Amino acid sequence: MNTKQNFPYWNPYVVGACIGILIILSFVITGRGLGAIGAFSSFVATIMKGIAPEHTLNNPVFSEYVSGADHPLKDWVVIEIAGVCIGGLISGLLSKRFKFEVIKGPRISSANRLILAFAGGTLMAYAAKITLGCTSGLAMSGGAVLSLGAWLFMFSVFIGGYALSFLIKKVWN
């Protein structure tokens, strides 16, 4: 018997409105929208500079992160993502939902589930880098300013997600 009581999930409409207000505040306070891929690029550039500094400085993708006067990890988006991770951890602990588990269907192993999740995340990160943006930055910040590209992107994500779900469902269930 499970004696641990979880708190109920928040209303998605209230959370959506709060995210909208957060994006508006982000534009007003920082002059930028929200995004994530820049934090990961800063992190990778820092690691690359430690391993191969000359190559990193000559690399057109990562040189912009390490050639400035400030340390790449002092960028505002790195602090934003650190806050998202810390906030998510605190939220999970306070709601008593924090635990280490692999959520999967009965027909897929935990190892395959993790491999698929890693492959999908890597593909999304690569696509975000080559398109000079990330899903959160494009969808939320671009959508907030009514960017046609952002809306086309989100419709494509949903259409692609629904189409792919029929294939994944066969492996998942």
Side-chain angles (χ1 to χ4, degrees):
M1 184 166 108
N2 186 6
T3 59
K4 188 167 122 179
Q5 182 183 11
N6 294 334
F7 289 91
Y9 289 111
W10 287 20
N11 181 315
Y13 298 108
V14 172
V15 172
C18 289
I19 291 172
I21 292 168
L22 179 67
I23 291 172
I24 292 169
L25 289 174
S26 175
F27 277 115
V28 169
I29 294 170
T30 68
R32 297 173 154 188
L34 299 174
I37 198 67
F40 296 105
S41 297
S42 295
F43 184 69
V44 170
T46 301
I47 292 172
M48 285 180 58
K49 187 177 180 188
I51 295 170
E54 191 66 32
H55 172 73
T56 306
L57 289 171
N58 292 326
N59 184 310
V61 173
F62 295 111
S63 64
E64 66 182 88
Y65 293 97
V66 296
S67 61
D70 288 337
H71 193 279
L73 297 180
K74 287 187 178 178
D75 191 11
W76 73 275
V77 75
V78 173
I79 296 166
E80 171 198 348
I81 295 303
V84 166
C85 293
I86 293 167
L89 176 63
I90 292 170
S91 173
L93 292 171
L94 290 176
S95 68
K96 299 179 182 168
R97 292 184 189 279
F98 181 81
K99 58 184 166 185
F100 291 100
E101 67 178 330
V102 177
I103 299 173
K104 61 180 190 60
R107 292 178 49 191
I108 187 170
S109 68
S110 293
N112 283 343
R113 171 67 171 109
L114 293 173
I115 289 168
L116 285 173
F118 183 79
T122 302
L123 183 62
M124 287 291 283
Y126 179 74
K129 191 63 187 168
I130 64 172
T131 59
L132 303 176
C134 63
T135 55
S136 58
L138 181 59
M140 293 190 312
S141 298
V145 295
L146 301 178
S147 165
L148 177 62
W151 286 95
L152 290 174
F153 169 76
M154 283 312 300
F155 283 121
S156 299
V157 165
F158 280 103
I159 291 168
Y162 281 119
L164 190 61
S165 70
F166 292 110
L167 297 173
I168 297 297
K169 191 185 282 187
K170 291 179 182 179
V171 177
W172 189 271
N173 291 330

